[in-house]
Amino acid sequence: MTAQPPFKRIALIGLGLIGSSLARGIRQLGLAGELVATDASAEVRARAAEIKLADRIADDNASAVKDADLVIACVPVGISGAVAQSIGPHLTPGAIVSDVGSVKASVLRAMAEHLPANVHFIPAHPVAGTENSGPDSGFAELFSNRWCILTPPEGADTAAVEKLEQFWSALGANVEIMDAGHHDLVLAVTSHLPHLIAYTIVGTADELEDVTRSEVLKFSAGGFRDFTRIAASDPTMWRDVFLANKDAVLEMLGTFQEDLSKLTRAIRRDDGEALFEHFSRTRAIRRGIVNLGQDEAAADFGRKHTALTKKAE
């Protein structure tokens, strides 16, 4: 652990998978002199206190952010504006305020209007997760070798951006800085559309009259199992994501439907060459993801972050 933590006090608002993982990583690495956390749910706050997730569990957002020099809202994007409104008057001048939502342009607009000019608002998106949620689901290694995208608004303080970048790097993340609108378009392709497809396929399987639910569960092949894992993600979070990023999602969904129509025609016309060419191209993309180290044999929750351990020593 470092002799002088980079932050005197960090406040976390929301203790689901991301918030509880941040809490564990922050404490393990000694990134804060004091860690204060809170959650809208009294039950979650009680459980967080029971497992000592933070140095102090606050009863509300206002008391949680008092004197904090880093505040991270770990909440569904649909309530990010309300959270900003609840903490705005209580923030310390010079504090860094961030979030972890997977939509950035709408969050930036929703939160910025409620935050005072004397704080540094730097939205962020750690591209990491599992299908689990709640204060017991987090683990410090969640961000290991995963990307965290920062989307600072125009005119953001360079020193504050660098400090937040160092914070995420210390947690094991690879940090990228990106325009908020471009982030939303990229994530519509890489995350939001795949989730929408997974929800649709699992829902379709559940509605088939000629296939019983027990058969779907019993004979699930690898592909369907992967879809069920994705479709098991927090419904509140994903409802908010699709509504907040609807323009980019609809654009990508239109492109997907065009490609699906091409494959439909190829199958109908027995065009094996077209199918083979398409599958070969997509296989190359998969290999590229593996080569970049963004997937491995172990599931996300099985990863070990050796660098994290070394830094904590």
Side-chain angles (χ1 to χ4, degrees), residues 76-78 101-104 106-107 184 187-200 230-231 233-253:
V77 295
S102 69
V103 180
K104 295 272 68 87
S106 63
V107 167
D184 291 352
L187 268 293
V189 178
T190 63
S191 176
H192 303 166
L193 184 59
H195 274 82
L196 189 63
I197 294 169
Y199 281 122
T200 303
I230 296 172
S233 301
D234 180 30
T236 299
M237 179 184 76
W238 282 101
R239 175 202 63 194
D240 291 355
V241 165
F242 290 126
L243 294 177
N245 198 30
K246 67 177 182 180
D247 290 340
V249 170
L250 288 172
E251 180 180 343
M252 292 303 106
L253 187 58

Side-chain angles (χ1 to χ4, degrees), residues 215-238:
E215 287 175 318
V216 169
L217 298 177
K218 181 177 180 180
F219 300 114
S220 290
F224 188 78
R225 285 198 301 269
D226 288 344
F227 278 126
T228 60
R229 176 184 60 79
I230 296 172
S233 301
D234 180 30
T236 299
M237 179 184 76
W238 282 101

